[in-house]
Amino acid sequence: MHEFFAESATAGVVLSFLAYYVGLQINKRFKLAILNPLLIAMALVIVFLLAFDIDYETYNSSARYLSYLLTPATVSLAIPMYQKLELLKKEPAAIFCGILSGVLTSLLSILILSALFGLSHEQYVTLLPKSITTAIGMGVSEELGGMAVITTASIIITGIFGNIAADALWKLFHITEPIAKGISIGTAAHAFGTAKALEIGETEGAMSSLSIVVSGLCTVVLANIFAGFM
Amino acid sequence: MRYLKQFAVILTVTCIGEIIKYMIDLPVPGSIYGLILMLILLMTGAVKLEAVKDAADFLVEIMPLMFIPAAAGLLDSYAMLQEMLLPLIVIIPLTTCLVVMVSGKVTELVLKMGKGGKKDA
């Protein structure tokens, strides 16, 4: 199995597809937020790799073709944004204040909790960019002297958590406006959250896509300042 | 042919985004420059919506699938995560909830203020 996976150009992609399909079916059947398709797919792939003693690198030698598509897919987020451009022109203040307050909350709460847990400066700056998209977050972490691998893992865990918890959180905090839903999940959980927002509606998806860009750029600037606080 | 042309436009804009990243020394990925560039091209009419829409919709629709390899990669970084596992288990969910609450509520508040102001005027 290991050798086959090492040579195949499609095995990792097909495994990911199947795992995600199973995840979607389970999610449809039970309608429980914790049975999130992405979470199920991740668990199935990991169990499969462990069961057949295939290491991650081998799986990723073909599965990475899926990851390659992320760059053009992110560029394509401009299309749902463009289709909701009127909204952006109409409510720039609400949108910008929402994103900026979210970025500041993220940085400030990480600062306070890192201090409470007695984390080192290195561990603190590793966590600072955890709510923004992976490629920006890794760069910020590296620049501030953090551990990029842990930053990446934290960003992914944040994304999965946000994707699963979004519905419950909106209900809990009585967030009902589509614009506010999109902004909050995009600012909190980057592209993973945006995937959730796009499932719910066009406005949510467009606002969430916009939040990835704006919160990412704000974090590049503000994380440098926050790094000096601890 | 339709998909081929559309995909070619998206990849070209993506590539220009990567060229911009290559020239500007900031921790901003090419995909973000590409997204901004694509938006500008659509706004100015240099690229028509119909010239990219179908392929873009397809890519956006299958986006969750693209996260699976990275998510499964947690398998490899698990050993490194262990030394700060407890802080991570607390900090990540807690801060994520806080961000959703604050940014969602602030957005709604400013939206309401805007509407209130218009009524007065």
Side-chain angles (χ1 to χ4, degrees), chain A residues 26-42:
Chain A
I26 294 178
N27 182 260
K28 222 190 246 171
R29 184 125 178 212
F30 295 100
K31 298 198 187 304
L32 270 174
I34 187 73
L35 294 175
N36 177 281
L38 189 62
L39 188 68
I40 295 170
M42 177 187 86

Side-chain angles (χ1 to χ4, degrees), chain A residues 63-73, chain B residues 66:
Chain A
R64 66 184 168 171
Y65 296 117
L66 275 176
S67 314
Y68 280 152
L69 285 175
L70 257 181
T71 311
Chain B
M66 301 171 198

Side-chain angles (χ1 to χ4, degrees), chain B residues 8-117:
Chain B
V9 174
I10 293 170
L11 280 186
T12 307
V13 174
T14 306
C15 184
I16 296 171
E18 285 173 335
I19 294 170
I20 298 172
K21 186 214 155 38
Y22 183 74
M23 293 190 303
I24 302 177
D25 186 27
L26 274 177
V28 175
S31 58
I32 298 292
Y33 293 120
L35 196 169
I36 296 169
L37 178 65
M38 181 66 95
L39 194 61
I40 294 171
L41 291 171
L42 286 166
M43 284 166 70
T44 54
V47 169
K48 292 269 176 281
L49 187 60
E50 304 79 57
V52 286
K53 193 175 181 309
D54 301 315
D57 284 349
F58 171 70
L59 282 172
V60 170
E61 197 188 310
I62 64 163
M63 213 168 161
L65 205 59
M66 301 171 198
F67 299 130
I68 295 172
L74 291 177
L75 181 65
D76 258 15
S77 43
Y78 183 69
M80 279 188 82
L81 288 176
Q82 267 177 329
E83 58 170 306
M84 47 191 298
L85 204 56
L86 182 68
L88 284 175
I89 288 174
V90 177
I91 294 177
I92 291 179
L94 194 59
T95 56
T96 307
C97 292
L98 281 171
V99 175
V100 171
M101 180 182 76
V102 173
S103 66
K105 278 298 171 195
V106 167
T107 309
E108 286 193 339
L109 192 73
V110 180
L111 280 174
K112 254 179 221 156
M113 280 163 50
K115 274 176 196 149

Side-chain angles (χ1 to χ4, degrees), chain A residues 13-87:
Chain A
V13 178
V14 173
L15 173 63
S16 309
F17 257 108
L18 287 176
Y20 189 65
Y21 181 74
V22 172
L24 279 178
Q25 294 306 317
I26 294 178
N27 182 260
K28 222 190 246 171
R29 184 125 178 212
F30 295 100
K31 298 198 187 304
L32 270 174
I34 187 73
L35 294 175
N36 177 281
L38 189 62
L39 188 68
I40 295 170
M42 177 187 86
L44 286 177
V45 169
I46 289 179
V47 167
F48 186 92
L49 296 182
L50 291 175
F52 290 94
D53 201 22
I54 300 163
D55 48 57
Y56 176 72
E57 283 309 315
T58 308
Y59 155 76
N60 202 34
S61 66
S62 57
R64 66 184 168 171
Y65 296 117
L66 275 176
S67 314
Y68 280 152
L69 285 175
L70 257 181
T71 311
T74 306
V75 173
S76 301
L77 286 175
I79 281 76
M81 269 169 73
Y82 173 71
Q83 288 173 304
K84 288 286 165 185
L85 204 61
E86 286 312 310
L87 210 56

Side-chain angles (χ1 to χ4, degrees), chain A residues 37-207:
Chain A
L38 189 62
L39 188 68
I40 295 170
M42 177 187 86
L44 286 177
V45 169
I46 289 179
V47 167
F48 186 92
L49 296 182
L50 291 175
F52 290 94
D53 201 22
I54 300 163
D55 48 57
Y56 176 72
E57 283 309 315
T58 308
Y59 155 76
N60 202 34
S61 66
S62 57
R64 66 184 168 171
Y65 296 117
L66 275 176
S67 314
Y68 280 152
L69 285 175
L70 257 181
T71 311
T74 306
V75 173
S76 301
L77 286 175
I79 281 76
M81 269 169 73
Y82 173 71
Q83 288 173 304
K84 288 286 165 185
L85 204 61
E86 286 312 310
L87 210 56
L88 217 153
K89 284 181 184 160
K90 214 175 101 194
E91 304 287 0
I95 291 166
F96 185 71
C97 290
I99 298 175
L100 189 64
S101 67
V103 171
L104 287 171
T105 304
S106 178
L107 297 172
L108 194 64
S109 58
I110 291 166
L111 171 66
I112 294 168
L113 287 167
S114 297
L116 283 176
F117 274 102
L119 296 188
S120 66
H121 174 78
E122 190 190 22
Q123 290 172 324
Y124 163 59
V125 295
T126 295
L127 287 179
L128 268 184
K130 73 145 193 59
S131 270
I132 60 174
T133 190
T134 320
I136 305 186
M138 266 174 67
V140 169
S141 172
E142 267 167 16
E143 197 181 328
L144 299 176
M147 297 162 277
V149 178
I150 299 185
T151 301
T152 306
S154 309
I155 290 172
I156 292 164
I157 297 170
T158 301
I160 296 171
F161 177 79
N163 189 300
I164 295 171
D167 278 319
L169 291 174
W170 290 325
K171 229 173 243 168
L172 181 66
F173 302 127
H174 304 290
I175 295 164
T176 52
E177 287 276 354
I179 299 182
K181 283 185 175 178
I183 296 288
S184 61
I185 199 61
T187 307
H190 50 92
F192 284 61
T194 301
K196 179 82 201 172
L198 285 159
E199 282 171 26
I200 306 176
E202 284 177 8
T203 303
E204 288 88 340
M207 290 301 132

